[in-house]
Amino acid sequence: MGGLTEAKLRAVAGERSFERGLGYVGAVSGVEVGDGWIRASVRGTERYEVELVPGGRGSPAGTCDCPYGQDGNFCKHLVALGLAVIGREADLSRGRESARDRARGLDAWLSGLSREDLLALVREETAEDRQLRRRLELRAASARGDLAGIRSRIRELLDIGPFAQYGHVEYADARAYADQAGQAVSAIKGLTGSGRAADGVALAREAIGLLAGLLESVDDSDGWLGRIGGDLADAHHDACRAARTDPEELAHWLVTHALDDAAALTDIDPLDYEDLLDERGMAALRRYAVDAWQVNRTGWAEKDLMHRLAKSGCDIDTVIAVHAADLAPNGHTHLLIARELDAAGRTAEALEWAERGIRETEDIATVDPVLVDHLTDRYTRAGRLADAVTLRRDHFAACRTLFTYRQLRAAASTAACWPAERGKALTLLRADAERAGPHGGRVLVDVLLDDKDVDAAWEAAGEFGAHDGQWLTLADHSRPTRPADALSVYLRLAARLTRETGNHAYEQLVSLLLSIRACHRHLGTPDDFAEYVTYLRATQKRKRNLMLLMEQHGL
């Protein structure tokens, strides 16, 4: 056990787990020592069972049944056990020898019992320990070749009844139920290991179906059932390999399973069985998948399976057919098809599908904007700059925002026709502003500001209205050139903030005061600013945080 140090624990656990483990040293109990291992219980959110392998001169390792440890991490509970035993070599040596003595004593005692006494002992223990009884029943049924008995025991192990209140397993009991369900997985693996793989295949499938039917009845927040589902998937794969399951029959089950709710439990990918299916099985897999898809062309599971099988076989035409059978009304599916064709080097077809996506969208305002980006990019690459501008113009006309305006400006600038396009775009926005009434010119003000046409933006804001953020932006852009206009904006916004409290409002107000001071400097009226600040201090003096903030900024 020598060689275990804090430095090694810190290195293998990481800084965060090590620091958290420091607080759990006092929660370590029931330390047992064996040859090369140390076991204990550590009380955390629950009581966790921990096994530490000190590693001698190498790095320590271990297992813990907490959620973090179940994922293969060296958790805080392992750190706590390691810290608890560091420097206790003499105690560990005595504990190890004591454990050996106890094991030898138990073995000697059991060996000295008569057959009748040993049977009586086992019966007594199985009467007290239901889990032990079920494990032994499974072994007995397996030894007898009693498939019906094994099936019955597995059904009992997967029954939620003993753990459920009102038909539902609560979070606190989910771990215990998963431990019991894990015994069913062990039994199935045992069948495969004992040469009865065909029975293992059948029972794995039954168990998957049973467990999938219980998902809604168990609070699996920590993913315990997900782990059991993954173990069942592994047990099924191993059994199919050992049993040399008929490829066509296996293909049919895989497709049926992939389209069933149980697929969410096991996450079985039919392509993971490719080595067991051979050429005949893979052909059957694709055939069954196509049959299912033809029955339900819009089903998510059917489309996903078809797509993955087609991609694995580099069957681009099938990929396109799957997408084309369920086209989204906003052109998104057309975009997916265009990308697939582009990747396959079929650029002309890709362009045709992208253009179809635009044409077949009833209202271009609802089109997937990524499709517009894609098609504009393809037009630009092909030197079709006029087409790129037309597309951006149509999209802007249907969806007049600052974003679509910027996109139109970029395309038209590339095509050297922005002044003319800008005039048309601004005409549309002015018409919108006139129809909308008060505050209807917000998009117009935004695009003029984005064009850095500040004077025109002031005019539009005055004529059609703007929101406070736009007025503030206008003022910030215009302090040196239009200080009087900027000052009027700042004073109005400051007056509103004087009626508010809270540090955020105070910070905004002080920022405005600094801008107001800059405007007065440009206007040559510093005395007016001093008078304003004096008035503000007199009326706002109860706001101590505001006064402190003003002093910090020399106001």
Side-chain angles (χ1 to χ4, degrees):
M1 296 293 177
L4 184 63
T5 65
E6 288 190 14
K8 287 184 177 180
L9 289 172
R10 189 187 297 271
V12 73
E15 196 65 33
R16 183 168 181 270
S17 287
F18 181 84
E19 292 298 327
R20 296 182 71 187
L22 292 171
Y24 283 83
V25 176
V28 177
S29 63
V31 178
E32 296 181 15
V33 185
D35 288 326
W37 54 263
I38 307 170
R39 294 177 186 146
S41 295
V42 180
R43 170 63 70 180
T45 309
E46 302 176 17
R47 182 173 294 278
Y48 297 113
E49 299 304 316
V50 183
E51 180 175 304
L52 175 67
V53 180
R57 293 183 179 179
S59 298
T63 59
C64 177
D65 57 5
C66 73
Y68 190 60
Q70 286 279 338
D71 288 336
N73 300 295
F74 198 95
C75 65
K76 62 188 178 185
H77 308 111
L78 282 164
V79 171
L81 176 55
L83 292 171
V85 301
I86 283 176
R88 294 173 51 191
E89 185 60 34
D91 293 342
L92 294 177
S93 181
R94 286 193 297 271
R96 186 164 55 251
E97 190 56 42
S98 176
R100 289 171 181 166
D101 288 343
R102 290 195 303 271
R104 285 193 292 265
L106 178 60
D107 187 63
W109 177 67
L110 290 173
S111 298
L113 292 177
S114 66
R115 180 177 182 276
E116 290 74 17
D117 289 341
L118 193 58
L119 284 172
L121 174 64
V122 173
R123 291 187 183 112
E124 179 183 339
E125 292 300 317
T126 54
E128 294 286 334
D129 189 335
R130 183 175 61 182
Q131 302 297 342
L132 174 62
R133 174 177 58 80
R134 285 179 169 174
R135 289 196 297 271
L136 292 178
E137 286 173 346
L138 272 172
R139 288 193 179 188
S142 181
R144 296 194 308 270
D146 180 7
L147 183 61
I150 298 171
R151 178 179 282 111
S152 176
R153 297 291 80 75
I154 287 177
R155 286 181 174 274
E156 286 182 11
L157 291 169
L158 296 179
D159 179 20
I160 65 170
F163 303 89
Q165 294 183 1
Y166 310 108
H168 188 269
V169 180
E170 302 296 336
Y171 173 81
D173 299 312
R175 169 70 186 280
Y177 172 69
D179 287 343
Q180 177 175 294
Q183 296 175 33
V185 181
S186 298
I188 292 167
K189 290 181 176 180
L191 283 171
T192 300
S194 64
R196 299 177 59 193
D199 290 338
V201 172
L203 290 182
R205 294 177 182 179
E206 289 183 29
I208 288 170
L210 287 170
L211 200 61
L214 298 171
L215 285 177
E216 297 299 322
S217 302
V218 180
D219 183 344
D220 194 33
S221 300
D222 284 341
W224 294 111
L225 287 196
R227 294 185 182 93
I228 299 298
D231 291 343
L232 275 173
D234 292 341
H236 178 263
H237 191 281
D238 292 344
C240 287
R241 180 184 299 281
R244 297 185 179 181
T245 304
D246 176 71
E248 187 152 343
E249 186 277 332
L250 176 57
H252 185 269
W253 184 84
L254 288 170
V255 170
T256 302
H257 175 74
L259 304 180
D260 188 79
D261 292 340
L265 170 71
T266 63
D267 201 26
I268 288 176
D269 185 348
L271 292 173
D272 290 341
Y273 287 74
E274 190 168 359
D275 59 331
L276 306 183
L277 289 170
D278 69 29
E279 188 176 338
R280 180 169 65 94
M282 286 301 295
L285 186 70
R286 291 188 171 89
R287 185 173 66 252
Y288 289 131
V290 169
D291 291 344
W293 172 65
Q294 287 179 339
V295 171
N296 185 17
R297 289 175 179 251
T298 61
W300 182 90
E302 287 82 357
K303 290 194 298 181
D304 180 65
L305 178 59
M306 281 291 295
H307 186 264
R308 285 188 290 122
L309 289 175
K311 292 282 282 187
S312 72
C314 300
D315 184 357
I316 186 66
D317 290 320
T318 298
V319 172
I320 293 168
V322 172
H323 285 312
D326 186 26
L327 293 171
N330 69 343
H332 177 69
T333 321
H334 297 77
L335 172 63
L336 296 180
I337 293 172
R339 285 174 170 171
E340 294 283 0
L341 288 165
D342 268 334
R346 294 160 59 173
T347 55
E349 294 173 78
L351 183 63
E352 182 182 344
W353 270 101
E355 290 175 330
R356 273 187 59 183
I358 300 296
R359 289 196 307 271
E360 294 176 5
T361 300
E362 290 186 7
D363 181 359
I364 195 172
T366 65
V367 74
D368 185 345
V370 183
L371 174 59
V372 180
D373 294 342
H374 175 89
L375 188 52
T376 301
D377 177 67
R378 293 306 182 271
Y379 282 152
T380 303
R381 289 186 187 184
R384 297 171 57 180
L385 301 183
D387 290 333
V389 172
T390 298
L391 178 58
R392 289 300 193 192
R393 183 196 306 128
D394 291 345
H395 192 217
F396 171 76
C399 186
R400 294 193 274 279
T401 65
L402 174 59
F403 180 67
T404 56
Y405 180 85
R406 285 172 172 168
Q407 291 176 316
L408 173 60
R409 182 175 62 199
S413 296
T414 301
C417 61
W418 175 230
E421 290 297 333
R422 181 175 187 263
K424 298 173 187 175
L426 293 178
T427 297
L428 285 176
L429 292 175
R430 286 186 180 280
D432 289 343
E434 289 171 355
R435 284 194 297 271
H439 306 296
R442 292 180 175 183
V443 177
L444 177 60
V445 173
D446 276 340
V447 302
L448 290 170
L449 281 170
D450 203 60
D451 281 341
K452 296 182 173 51
D453 191 347
V454 179
D455 288 337
W458 272 103
E459 182 180 340
E463 183 178 357
F464 302 114
H467 58 70
D468 285 347
Q470 290 176 316
W471 281 116
L472 183 59
T473 302
L474 281 166
D476 288 343
H477 279 82
S478 307
R479 276 201 304 266
T481 57
R482 304 176 65 151
D485 291 333
L487 179 60
S488 67
V489 171
Y490 292 139
L491 289 172
R492 179 175 61 81
L493 296 178
R496 179 176 300 171
L497 285 170
T498 59
R499 297 191 290 272
E500 298 182 17
T501 58
N503 288 337
H504 182 63
Y506 302 156
E507 289 168 2
Q508 289 180 299
L509 180 54
V510 168
S511 177
L512 287 173
L513 289 175
L514 295 173
S515 297
I516 290 170
R517 182 171 64 184
C519 288
H520 277 293
R521 285 175 178 169
H522 286 297
L523 291 168
T525 55
D527 291 342
D528 290 349
F529 177 70
E531 183 179 342
Y532 175 72
V533 170
T534 300
Y535 166 77
L536 203 61
R537 281 185 169 277
T539 58
Q540 303 291 309
K541 61 185 178 182
R542 293 180 180 273
K543 300 174 180 177
R544 290 192 295 177
N545 285 354
L546 173 60
M547 297 298 103
L548 288 171
L549 202 58
M550 289 176 66
E551 288 175 9
Q552 290 172 9
H553 287 82
L555 296 169

